[in-house]
Amino acid sequence: ITKNGQPFISKSFNDSELPEDGIISIPFEADEQADYRANLYVNNNASLTLKSIELKQEVPTSEIAAVDQKIAEIGEVKYDPDVDQDSGDVIEQARNAYNELAAKYGEISSKLKNYSLLIEAENVYANLKDEYDGMIENALMVDETISNIETPITLDSEESIVMAEEIYQSFLDSFGEEKANLHIKKIPDLKEARRLLDEIKNPAVVYGDVNGDGNVTVDDALVVLQGAVGKIELNDAQKLAGDVDGEAGISVSDALVVLQKAVGKIESLPILA
């Protein structure tokens, strides 16, 4: 081996000393700026054939161990800005340490014990970021769907309310209530829309107010009586409001009780059985 054109290292082998794989390795400490060349000389009796000569740098074990330690320090990979958990810096430090060593010595991944852990950590971190970003996009979509509910709330708003509730439930199933409360701003609006719709669909019963004018009057007693004797057909809401005597079903007795309420003989309806 020559260094800058001058003899540097010389080593002789006989046939019995050659390694079985035919690879002759001569380690030495190299200067970074020096020019090294290798030559093989054989005598006439040698059964050697030169196939190739290659100069390689040997990576110090201490530098390899330092990179392995950086990778080991990553630990459990985390990414959640909501609770200030982020492994990004420690992963980046490990990657930079590897890149610096690779720039100095070439491909060294096979020499590290923990290189596969670094790759896995980078992949897990990227997936966690994608999942968080996806969660934010979903939260914005839920808010947008709630904003699209038709107002003021009427029966025509039901379709858009149901759609918003389904998308909101899908978010809960995927990301949980804690994330929903943090990132979906219009949850109160959705709940209020549902309350108003339910109130429209199932108004509070005013017992005795069969004609729906908000008051219990003689007219209501007459409607109940007509329904009881089959003169008119009461709808479900009227039957519910007119069934006040403590007995199931509409009867003349219910009409009498409504009349008593109308004229102030009793204070409240229905009469409990």
Side-chain angles (χ1 to χ4, degrees):
I1 297 176
T2 62
K3 175 181 178 181
N4 297 329
Q6 300 298 319
F8 179 55
I9 295 177
S10 177
K11 192 166 185 178
S12 300
F13 298 89
N14 58 42
D15 286 351
S16 62
E17 294 174 329
L18 290 174
E20 293 182 3
D21 59 9
I23 298 175
I24 300 172
S25 177
I26 303 175
F28 62 91
E29 185 173 340
D31 294 335
E32 187 173 347
Q33 302 300 325
D35 176 37
Y36 295 92
R37 300 178 185 273
N39 295 281
L40 176 67
Y41 300 93
V42 297
N43 61 31
N44 293 334
N45 297 322
S47 57
L48 294 176
T49 300
L50 177 62
K51 290 187 176 182
S52 65
I53 296 176
E54 183 178 10
L55 292 174
K56 292 184 176 180
Q57 286 182 300
E58 188 68 24
V59 185
T61 56
S62 60
E63 295 186 42
I64 293 175
V67 175
D68 270 327
Q69 178 60 32
K70 283 285 186 183
I71 297 173
E73 289 171 359
I74 294 173
E76 181 183 356
V77 179
K78 299 178 181 179
Y79 179 78
D80 189 347
D82 296 334
V83 291
D84 196 24
Q85 292 181 342
D86 192 342
S87 300
D89 287 345
V90 67
I91 292 174
E92 183 178 5
Q93 290 170 9
R95 170 54 67 181
N96 289 342
Y98 171 83
N99 289 343
E100 289 174 6
L101 201 63
K104 186 176 181 181
Y105 296 107
E107 173 57 40
I108 59 167
S109 60
S110 61
K111 298 181 181 295
L112 297 173
K113 295 179 181 178
N114 292 336
Y115 187 70
S116 62
L117 296 180
L118 175 59
I119 297 297
E120 181 181 357
E122 290 173 329
N123 290 336
V124 170
Y125 185 75
N127 289 337
L128 288 175
K129 288 194 68 175
D130 288 344
E131 181 178 336
Y132 184 88
D133 292 344
M135 182 267 295
I136 295 297
E137 290 180 6
N138 272 269
L140 292 174
M141 182 173 62
V142 175
D143 274 332
E144 182 179 356
T145 307
I146 296 172
S147 295
N148 289 334
I149 293 174
E150 301 170 27
T151 56
I153 302 300
T154 66
L155 290 176
D156 292 335
S157 306
E158 182 169 15
E159 183 177 349
S160 57
I161 291 173
V162 171
M163 179 183 295
E165 288 174 333
E166 289 176 349
I167 294 176
Y168 172 57
Q169 185 59 52
S170 177
F171 184 98
L172 290 176
D173 293 341
S174 299
F175 305 106
E177 186 174 2
E178 182 178 354
K179 293 299 185 186
N181 292 335
L182 280 172
H183 297 287
I184 300 176
K185 308 304 181 185
K186 295 186 177 294
I187 295 174
D189 295 346
L190 177 59
K191 292 182 177 179
E192 177 64 8
R194 167 53 66 183
R195 186 191 69 79
L196 293 173
L197 179 64
D198 287 344
E199 191 174 89
I200 293 171
K201 294 179 67 176
N202 302 291
V205 177
V206 179
Y207 286 101
D209 180 21
V210 183
N211 64 9
D213 66 358
N215 299 298
V216 179
T217 66
V218 174
D219 289 340
D220 294 305
L222 179 59
V223 173
V224 176
L225 179 61
Q226 290 174 327
V229 300
K231 192 170 182 179
I232 63 173
E233 180 67 29
L234 301 179
N235 60 36
D236 290 342
Q238 288 174 318
K239 290 176 182 178
L240 182 60
D243 186 11
V244 294
D245 66 351
E247 299 291 337
I250 296 296
S251 66
V252 174
S253 174
D254 292 302
L256 178 59
V257 172
V258 173
L259 180 59
Q260 290 174 326
K261 169 65 174 172
V263 298
K265 291 193 68 173
I266 59 177
E267 293 184 1
S268 62
L269 297 176
I271 296 174
L272 301 178

